[in-house]
Amino acid sequence: MSWRLKAVMDRVGAFVLLLMIAPLMAFIALAVRLDSPGPILFRQPRFGAGRSVVVVSKFRTMRPEGTDIGGRRQATRGDDRVTRVGRFLRKTCLDELPQIWDVLCGRMSLVGPRPHPLHLEVEGQPIESLIPDYHQRHAVRPGITGLAQIRGNRGPLENLAMGRERIRYDVEYIEGHSLWLDIRILFKTLVVPFQKDGSY
């Protein structure tokens, strides 16, 4: 029942959020367009529920010629592919706002394991070959935010230990899911952009 209520909360919440932040999203879209040539949105195939493939949207933060659709090359500190506006968007997580539309369309959830690119590599190897229980995180729809993110494990997976920790948080979330947990994660997500560690 909690998962059914979660689906309703996702759709209603996404609709309300889109109405509230429409002006902000329009401003960001204009900033991306003026900052560098290329599309405003970056769309990338990622793992969804049941290991299905879903296309996830973000505001483009890199130069088009530097993007990696497969996700093998993750962003690094001082990455020269990231644009000026993109650096700010990534640091504040504002680049993720278009995913609210993905939630409204049923591809994602407000809260859940963050969707990873299909060919994500850690330490030069496919992550699914390094972590046997990797796909347990795909038992539910991916989320804009999740338990791992509010506990500090967000952004690129810099090493195998970070990858294992994130999977552990994702499985913990799935096994202990409740609507109250979702609400707590959503509120705690508001302070995530102000933490020192994270995306770059």
Side-chain angles (χ1 to χ4, degrees):
M1 180 61 69
S2 66
W3 291 104
R4 293 179 181 178
L5 291 174
K6 174 183 175 66
V8 174
M9 184 178 75
D10 281 339
R11 297 293 180 90
V12 174
F15 180 75
V16 173
L17 284 172
L18 285 173
L19 290 179
M20 292 174 59
I21 66 172
L24 173 61
M25 292 184 67
F27 177 80
I28 294 174
L30 179 62
V32 171
R33 173 64 74 187
L34 295 176
D35 183 51
S36 63
I40 292 173
L41 296 180
F42 172 62
R43 294 185 173 92
Q44 185 179 49
R46 299 193 178 192
F47 280 114
R51 296 177 62 174
S52 61
V53 176
V54 296
V55 178
V56 174
S57 303
K58 301 175 64 174
F59 282 118
R60 180 176 58 83
T61 59
M62 294 184 177
R63 299 190 308 276
E65 66 274 14
T67 56
D68 178 8
I69 295 295
R72 288 186 174 88
R73 182 183 177 188
Q74 299 183 75
T76 57
R77 194 177 302 276
D79 200 314
D80 60 5
R81 298 174 299 165
V82 180
T83 64
R84 290 173 300 174
V85 169
R87 199 167 303 281
F88 173 76
L89 295 179
R90 295 175 73 91
K91 183 64 178 177
T92 57
C93 303
L94 292 174
D95 60 322
E96 311 286 355
L97 291 183
Q99 291 172 21
I100 298 175
W101 175 258
D102 294 327
V103 174
L104 187 62
C105 294
R107 292 185 287 268
M108 292 182 62
S109 177
L110 292 175
V111 180
R114 284 291 301 151
H116 287 168
L118 303 183
H119 304 294
L120 178 65
E121 292 186 356
V122 177
E123 299 181 359
Q125 297 186 57
I127 188 172
E128 54 191 323
S129 68
L130 298 174
I131 305 177
D133 57 351
Y134 173 69
H135 286 293
Q136 288 186 29
R137 70 192 308 272
H138 300 132
V140 298
R141 282 183 297 175
I144 295 178
T145 185
L147 189 62
Q149 283 64 48
I150 66 169
R151 290 186 177 174
N153 190 315
R154 69 186 188 102
L157 292 174
E158 299 176 349
N159 50 57
L160 183 56
M162 188 176 179
R164 286 173 173 159
E165 181 184 63
R166 184 173 300 182
I167 304 307
R168 185 169 68 252
Y169 286 146
D170 292 339
V171 173
E172 178 183 340
Y173 166 76
I174 294 170
E175 293 180 346
H177 174 261
S178 69
L179 292 181
W180 174 239
L181 177 59
D182 277 8
I183 293 170
R184 285 170 51 207
I185 290 173
L186 286 171
F187 274 101
K188 289 185 177 182
T189 295
L190 296 177
V191 304
V192 165
F194 302 101
Q195 296 174 347
K196 293 182 178 180
D197 58 336
S199 300
Y200 39 80

